Amino acid sequence: MNFPTVDTALFLLMMLLSPLFISCDQTTLKQSLDPSPFPSNFLFGTSTSSYQVEGAYLSEGKGLSNWDVFTHTPGNIDDGSSGDVAVDHYHRYLEDIDLIESLGVNSYRFSISWARILPKGRFGYVNSEGINHYNKVIDALLLKGIQPFVTLTQFDSPQEIEDKYRAWLSPESQEDFGYFADICFKSFGDRVKYWFTINEPNMQVNLSYRLGGHPPAHCSQPFGNCSQGNSEEEPFIAAHNLILSHATAVDIYRTKYQKDQGGSIGIILNTVWFEPISNSTADKLAAERAQSFYMNWFLDPIIYGKYPAEMMNIVGSTLPKFSSRDTEKLKQGLDFIGINHYTSIYVQDCIFSLCKPGPGASKTEGFCLQSSQKHGVPIGEPTTLFWLNVYPQGMWKIIKYIKERYKNTPMFITENGYGEISMPNSSTEDLLNDVKRVEYMASYLDALITAVRDGADVRGYFVWSLLDSFEWTYGYTSRFGLHHVDFATLKRTPKLSATWYKHFIAKHKLIKSQSPKHTSKHPQF
């Protein structure tokens, strides 16, 4: 359906700005009419990542990243594209910060290009031009009263560390990541008060070392058809090194910087709510196993110092061991948990039941078959992305689960958003009037409100994403942005969802970020 005029779109917007119309249940519908449950210092923002938006892939001293190499290999990306230019955020960051300000948000999460700071990892020089670029981005945000949330790495890393020692498959990655983190804390920590070490390591090990769809494209049968890799062993090795790389960075921050800089640090996990496909005890246990083999796999060692019992019982002989030194380092833990949440999925037990082959059903995935459907009925409204079903209840349920399992450790919703495949017959006007995205955001924010009212210590919410951008193996065929980007001209245009989000934020009392006091001189390398 087309909405051909601005008046029509604004009328629809006003309809959507009344009580949030999609609700988890009647209780949350009533609650959404009440005054805002968010504290006055709650942080609303939006997110991007370096490889997806920056472009400038070899500009001003940047080295090759793993994604530069991967996208330049024919057949890896759906539309044959790359992030060489992306949406040119590297050169257009001031324009994009104006867009961020126009939303009325008080925070912005972005990631740093590791290869832009260390073109050769720890084996080469520190690129001062990369440092200067991020200094300018951070300072520009603070001048607008926008709090920078910095993710140290979001899937991209210097190709040099892959070539030298196979990156996350080697313990050397811990030393490299610690060196990189130290430089970032020293360079930016006088102004950056919120750090995330690694984005979605649980997604990364699955896509990179089990299924082989992301670099370095490692896998083995029956999970995929790669030229190298072992899907039953390498994910656990990579995960172990990612967990200890997080611990290394946190240890450096706590011992060298946190006291003087006054910031805090955490990690971001991709989260899925796993719904038992039936009320049977076996399926309920399978849903718990699914969490242990996905999210708890990383959070349990970081918070409790050991892998989940469900994993130990099934793949204990495969899991690497934490040394006494590792265990001490893990005690540094984290200050908050970043939650990327989009969708939910049904889970069926495969220990006591016969399962057909499929996602999650194998031993190394926990014997829990995953499906978006139950008796042919989707768990939530399907979208044009095969993996994304709209199930807002999952937002409330996963927050409640994390609250209870991890003693209400402070949380940030670091990504939540609606993606759609660009159809050949879609007009720009169709893409700008993104009603489905507005509906999605309204329903998931309603679920977040319920979680906050239930006592969950959630301190911020970030929409994915600020802009349409390069969406990994989808290339430019999938759009998540609050702002439409014409990929030919790179013109940015606010969508209906941007206006809706601005009005939603305005309904809640927010404070502007206070710029940390700092001198005009930044650390030099």
Side-chain angles (χ1 to χ4, degrees):
M1 180 177 182
N2 291 328
F3 295 88
T5 67
V6 173
D7 289 342
T8 306
L10 288 174
F11 174 75
L12 173 64
L13 177 62
M14 295 309 296
M15 294 283 289
L16 296 170
L17 286 174
S18 55
L20 296 175
F21 57 88
I22 300 177
S23 191
C24 296
D25 51 39
Q26 290 192 2
T27 301
T28 57
L29 179 59
K30 178 181 182 299
Q31 288 170 347
S32 63
L33 293 168
D34 297 336
S36 170
F38 300 113
S40 61
N41 60 349
F42 191 85
L43 294 168
F44 279 102
T46 184
S47 295
T48 63
S49 85
S50 58
Y51 187 78
Q52 294 179 264
V53 298
E54 282 185 357
Y57 89 106
L58 285 182
S59 297
E60 298 184 334
K62 179 185 170 295
L64 282 174
S65 76
N66 57 338
W67 272 90
D68 293 325
V69 173
F70 184 74
T71 57
H72 294 170
T73 303
N76 285 339
I77 307 301
D78 286 354
D79 59 2
S81 65
S82 73
D84 290 2
V85 176
V87 293
D88 198 31
H89 178 70
Y90 186 83
H91 297 109
R92 299 168 185 248
Y93 71 90
L94 289 174
E95 173 189 350
D96 292 337
I97 289 172
D98 286 342
L99 295 180
I100 296 167
E101 182 186 32
S102 72
L103 293 171
V105 302
N106 51 14
S107 54
Y108 171 57
R109 184 178 78 87
F110 63 97
S111 73
I112 291 177
S113 169
W114 188 346
R116 198 176 294 284
I117 303 298
L118 293 170
K120 299 290 185 181
R122 75 181 196 276
F123 305 102
Y125 62 95
V126 178
N127 180 28
S128 60
E129 290 180 287
I131 298 284
N132 291 340
H133 170 73
Y134 291 111
N135 273 326
K136 290 186 288 185
V137 172
I138 291 164
D139 289 346
L141 287 166
L142 290 170
L143 284 172
K144 300 281 190 181
I146 299 166
Q147 188 75 244
F149 276 59
V150 173
T151 306
L152 290 173
T153 182
Q154 187 147 337
F155 292 172
D156 57 323
S157 55
Q159 180 63 26
E160 186 79 7
I161 69 173
E162 177 65 35
D163 294 340
K164 279 193 178 294
Y165 58 76
R166 304 212 305 165
W168 301 114
L169 293 177
S170 168
E172 285 196 54
S173 59
Q174 300 169 36
E175 185 177 351
D176 245 297
F177 187 69
Y179 181 70
F180 168 56
D182 198 333
I183 290 169
C184 292
F185 299 147
K186 180 180 179 180
S187 302
F188 314 126
D190 60 328
R191 290 148 292 146
V192 173
K193 303 308 171 186
Y194 297 92
W195 294 97
F196 293 102
T197 54
I198 302 165
N199 177 80
E200 297 186 336
N202 55 338
M203 180 76 78
Q204 186 170 358
V205 298
N206 189 50
L207 293 174
S208 297
Y209 298 99
R210 176 177 282 139
L211 302 178
H214 283 195
H218 283 205
C219 68
S220 59
Q221 294 288 349
F223 295 93
N225 185 24
C226 302
S227 61
Q228 58 184 328
N230 184 330
S231 296
E232 295 185 343
E233 293 182 2
E234 287 189 357
F236 301 106
I237 298 169
H240 198 74
N241 286 316
L242 282 157
I243 290 165
L244 291 174
S245 292
H246 161 85
T248 298
V250 173
D251 185 57
I252 291 168
Y253 190 63
R254 298 230 194 276
T255 56
K256 292 181 66 174
Y257 298 102
Q258 190 167 33
K259 182 178 178 181
D260 291 336
Q261 295 180 353
S264 52
I265 191 166
I267 193 171
I268 298 171
L269 276 299
N270 182 271
T271 68
V272 175
W273 176 250
F274 295 107
E275 187 74 31
I277 202 162
S278 78
N279 288 324
S280 72
T281 300
D283 287 337
K284 289 178 180 178
L285 290 173
E288 182 63 30
R289 283 199 309 279
Q291 288 295 1
S292 289
F293 275 75
Y294 194 60
M295 178 181 71
N296 306 347
W297 180 3
F298 290 80
L299 286 181
D300 271 26
I302 291 169
I303 294 176
Y304 296 124
K306 57 186 179 181
Y307 287 115
E310 293 86 354
M311 293 190 76
M312 293 298 296
N313 291 338
I314 296 174
V315 293
S317 61
T318 304
L319 289 171
K321 303 297 187 287
F322 292 115
S323 68
S324 57
R325 184 172 177 271
D326 295 337
T327 302
E328 281 302 307
K329 195 183 291 185
L330 285 167
K331 289 180 180 178
Q332 298 284 19
L334 44 65
D335 297 317
F336 45 72
I337 300 167
I339 299 169
N340 290 356
H341 182 75
Y342 292 87
T343 194
S344 300
I345 200 162
Y346 287 119
V347 171
Q348 175 189 340
D349 169 67
C350 297
I351 293 179
F352 302 102
S353 308
L354 186 62
C355 288
K356 62 183 180 182
S362 72
K363 176 181 177 180
T364 55
E365 297 169 287
F367 294 124
C368 33
L369 181 65
Q370 301 171 17
S371 174
S372 62
Q373 296 188 351
K374 176 181 178 180
H375 306 310
V377 179
I379 191 170
E381 181 184 355
T383 68
T384 53
L385 292 170
F386 77 93
W387 56 266
L388 180 58
N389 289 76
V390 181
Y391 188 75
Q393 300 96 314
M395 171 76 93
W396 171 75
K397 290 179 179 181
I398 194 65
I399 293 172
K400 180 175 183 288
Y401 180 91
I402 294 170
K403 171 192 168 188
E404 293 174 353
R405 187 176 183 95
Y406 300 111
K407 302 177 182 178
N408 211 12
T409 296
M411 294 168 262
F412 289 94
I413 308 302
T414 38
E415 287 183 23
N416 176 243
Y418 183 91
E420 52 194 343
I421 297 294
S422 298
M423 300 302 178
N425 58 346
S426 294
S427 67
T428 300
E429 195 167 35
D430 292 331
L431 295 171
L432 291 175
N433 289 302
D434 56 342
V435 177
K436 288 294 185 183
R437 181 169 290 106
V438 172
E439 292 176 351
Y440 177 97
M441 292 171 62
S443 64
Y444 276 72
L445 279 162
D446 198 22
L448 175 60
I449 286 172
T450 302
V452 171
R453 290 189 187 276
D454 288 346
D457 189 2
V458 182
R459 301 187 178 186
Y461 171 89
F462 295 76
V463 175
W464 185 268
S465 178
L466 174 67
L467 303 162
D468 292 336
S469 59
F470 180 84
E471 284 293 338
W472 307 117
T473 55
Y474 287 99
Y476 299 98
T477 66
S478 174
R479 294 177 180 265
F480 276 84
L482 296 176
H483 295 87
H484 174 271
V485 177
D486 181 323
F487 294 128
T489 65
L490 300 181
K491 178 184 177 183
R492 284 88 154 122
T493 307
K495 300 178 187 177
L496 181 66
S497 56
T499 308
W500 183 89
Y501 190 42
K502 177 178 181 178
H503 281 267
F504 180 89
I505 293 169
K507 290 172 63 179
H508 302 278
K509 295 179 180 179
L510 295 174
I511 61 171
K512 278 285 186 181
S513 168
Q514 298 299 311
S515 301
K517 294 180 179 179
H518 62 281
T519 66
S520 59
K521 292 184 178 180
H522 303 308
Q524 298 297 311
F525 290 89

